[in-house]
Each structure stands twice: as C-alpha cells, then as structure tokens.
Amino acid sequence: MHSYSLIAPAKINLYLEIIGDRPDGYHELAMILQSISLADRIDVLSTNNDSIRVHCNHPQVPTDKSNLAYKAAELMARQFPEAFAKYGGLEISINKQIPVAAGLAGGSTNAAAVLVGIDLLWKLGLTQSELEELGATLGSDVPFCVSGGTAIATGRGEQLSPLPSLDNIYIVLAKYRSLEVSTAWAYKTYRQEFGNSYVRDTNDLVARANAVHSGEIVKAIFERDARKIAEKLHNDLERVVLPAYPQVLQLREIFANQEGVLGTMMSGSGPTVFALFESEQQAEQVKLHIREAISNEDLELFVARTITHGIQVASSV
Ligand code: C5P
C-alpha cells in the first residue's frame, strides 16, 4: 500500500475540571471526552524522496513545521529511521472540516491520524497504547483522538479510561469563524484568577482526579441517559472564557433558551459552544432558529452526533 485515507473525528468535552498545577507546568485535569461525527479527512502518501510535506485546503492552517500533523510525521521519522529510509518521504493532505482553534481538537486529531496512517504505511504494527504514548508527546488531546469514543481523561489529559460508548446523541456546534481562543491563554488566565483554590497536596490531587470515575455524569453515561448527561455538563474554563468573549456567552444563552436543548456547554478552551439533543430533527430545527436569531455570516453552525471511534481508515491504495 502506498497511501491511506483516514477519517479524523473532532471531540467535545462533556466535562472539564481543573484540579491543580503539575510540576511540568501543565494542569492536572479530570475530563470526559467524546468523539463526534464532524471530521477531517487525512491522506498519508509515501513519496520517492526523503521529505515531509503537508497540504491543507484551509487557508488558516499552516503547512510548515508548526502544524501538529507535520510534527507527528517528524516524530515517526525520528522514532523509526529505518522505516523512513525504506519507505521514503511523506505527503500529507488535510481536508479540513473541523473549525480551527475551536476547542474541538482539530489539530490533535490530524496528528493522531498521521500516526495511525504512518504505522500502517510503514507496517510497524504498533499497538493502540504505543500510538497513544507517541501521541502524548505531541499534545494532551492526541492520545484520546487515536482511540476516540467516550473516555475519562486525567493527568494532562493523556491518561485514558474508556467509558461505554454513546452513539445516539445529536449535537449542534456553533463557532464564530474569526474568533479564536488560545488554549494556553485560557489555562494561564484560569491559574491567575483561580490558582489560589487549586488542590496542592499530591494525594489529594490523585483523589480528586479519581473522584470523576464515580461522578454523576459518569453514572449517566453508564445508563446512556442523554438527559442526565446533559444536566451534568461542566467546563471550568467557561469561568474565564465567557466573561472575556461576550459572543461566546451570547451563544450559550441562546442555546439554553431553545426548545429541545437537553444541555449546552463550551467545548475545551472554546470558543465553540455545543448543545445536546435527543433527535437529529430537533438539532436541525435549533440550528435553523439560531441562524435566524443571529444574522452574522461569521457564525458557523454544524449538526453532528456522538460516535464510538477515533481514527478510522476510509480507504487505502
Ligand atoms: O497539550 P497542548 O499542547 O494541547 O496544550 C496547550 C496548552 O494548554 C499548553 O501549553 C498549556 O498552557 C495548556 N494546558 C494546561 N494543562 C493541560 C493541558 C493544556 O495547562 N492539562
């Protein structure tokens, strides 16, 4: 095989709790991550030279070494120099459907797809956990994006514990195209404003992270009760992003007042806001209502549903 075409799904956070600081400068988190059907397509192709090249149909996405997909390819070339020498260079095409800098792990899922694609292309036979370990060196959300579905993520976000999969919940996502929120800014601002309430004792940090396993939202996921899940949505980063970005707050409020919305929340560090629904029809209806209520062409709206997988192979040649 000389090329693989992969589906790289976005994620939303059903839950994001900031527990405290980590010695590596990151935050200790307890999250519940959920893959959704909104996805990019990534083509990974072997070439006859020794270079790595990235193409993308989206003008905002860099194609140089700063792209996480490029970094993923570089990492694989470094880790497996013999395979790189044997199979030659790589051409990576990203067909972007997931909004950029949106809190939906768009960059992370592209990197995860590149890891999976190169593993197949170079016949490395890596296990899922080996791929996740490599992914963790690229970004906190990359390991989840490899396996996907529904999972608890602790530590930096890279320690995963799978949950029963949810495949019957519909979602409307809303994001202003030109509005971007830096993840680093959101966490830094949260530390400045709420750092004094962080858990400091190491044992307490572990206990708090473990507590998510027996939390109400996890119970609701085990019961596959969309209504209860929606009631327990939570994201600590809303505390800094909503006051700083009135447009995000407005989306949150509009969603909360729509009929059929089970619950609404910002995803990750934002600025995407999502709402959960029991049926696709309700989701489509609310999408229309929001489009009518906010006459701003900058606003992007998507209907998606929860899915049970991460990176998947679409085809190979
Ligand atoms: O790991 P990733 O590159 O996705 O993280 C982006 C930024 O978000 C980090 O540079 C850090 O500032 C912040 N972050 C954090 N704690 C985490 C994950 C991310 O402080 N657990």
Side-chain angles (χ1 to χ4, degrees):
M1 301 294 170
H2 299 297
S3 83
Y4 279 87
S5 187
L6 303 123
I7 306 296
K11 64 89 184 140
I12 54 171
N13 295 75
L14 300 175
Y15 187 87
L16 191 163
E17 182 187 352
I18 298 175
I19 300 172
D21 274 317
R22 292 166 55 92
D24 59 11
Y26 279 66
H27 282 87
E28 198 69 37
L29 305 175
M31 300 191 285
I32 298 170
L33 303 173
Q34 173 65 54
S35 300
I36 62 171
S37 56
L38 179 65
D40 293 338
R41 206 193 65 234
I42 312 292
D43 295 313
V44 185
L45 180 91
S46 271
T47 60
N48 288 331
N49 52 47
D50 59 358
S51 66
I52 297 168
R53 293 188 57 185
V54 173
H55 311 275
C56 184
N57 63 333
H58 193 300
Q60 258 171 286
V61 174
T63 53
D64 62 8
K65 290 185 179 207
S66 67
N67 187 310
L68 211 52
Y70 191 108
K71 289 183 186 169
E74 248 183 354
L75 172 69
M76 292 299 268
R78 230 180 13 252
Q79 290 284 320
F80 304 100
E82 281 169 23
F84 186 43
K86 180 175 168 193
Y87 290 98
L90 295 157
E91 194 132 334
I92 296 160
S93 300
I94 304 171
N95 185 300
K96 225 184 223 284
Q97 304 297 322
I98 305 169
V100 179
L104 299 173
S108 301
T109 193
N110 293 173
V114 169
L115 297 181
V116 172
I118 294 175
D119 172 53
L120 293 168
L121 212 51
W122 292 354
K123 300 180 175 61
L124 297 171
L126 297 174
T127 62
Q128 186 136 306
S129 67
E130 285 168 334
L131 287 165
E132 288 175 6
E133 220 168 285
L134 285 167
T137 67
L138 296 166
S140 312
D141 286 338
V142 181
F144 171 76
C145 291
V146 171
S147 46
T150 311
I152 293 175
T154 52
R156 261 171 64 208
E158 86 292 7
Q159 285 168 28
L160 302 173
S161 165
L163 287 171
S165 46
L166 301 169
D167 58 359
N168 54 346
I169 303 178
Y170 289 85
I171 306 150
V172 174
L173 301 134
K175 180 189 180 274
Y176 285 98
R177 205 174 275 114
S178 59
L179 191 65
E180 293 184 7
V181 174
S182 143
T183 304
W185 169 86
Y187 279 103
K188 195 177 88 193
T189 309
Y190 192 92
R191 181 183 283 123
Q192 278 162 3
E193 291 188 24
F194 304 107
N196 54 7
S197 64
Y198 282 5
V199 174
R200 308 250 167 237
D201 180 85
T202 313
N203 291 333
D204 293 347
L205 275 174
V206 174
R208 267 287 278 284
N210 284 338
V212 70
H213 290 263
S214 49
E216 291 289 320
I217 187 162
V218 170
K219 271 186 218 149
I221 290 168
F222 272 97
E223 290 162 13
R224 292 200 162 86
D225 185 335
R227 214 163 261 282
K228 249 204 231 163
I229 293 168
E231 272 171 27
K232 300 294 172 193
L233 295 172
H234 177 80
N235 184 348
D236 273 336
L237 289 174
E238 283 200 338
R239 296 169 79 187
V240 292
V241 178
L242 297 190
Y245 294 88
Q247 279 180 303
V248 183
L249 179 64
Q250 186 206 21
L251 286 176
R252 243 337 228 95
E253 285 169 351
I254 288 185
F255 268 132
N257 291 320
Q258 296 289 318
E259 211 172 303
V261 170
L262 301 176
T264 175
M265 191 60 44
M266 185 181 79
S267 183
S269 57
T272 303
V273 174
F274 68 86
L276 302 183
F277 300 85
E278 262 166 347
S279 78
E280 186 173 15
Q281 195 195 356
Q282 285 169 321
E284 291 287 356
Q285 217 156 43
V286 166
K287 181 184 158 188
L288 270 180
H289 285 168
I290 304 242
R291 179 62 73 213
E292 280 163 12
I294 304 176
S295 61
N296 184 341
E297 287 194 359
D298 198 37
L299 181 65
E300 290 182 292
L301 292 162
F302 307 88
V303 170
R305 62 176 177 79
T306 54
I307 58 169
T308 60
H309 58 80
I311 306 303
Q312 277 196 325
V313 177
S315 61
S316 53
V317 183

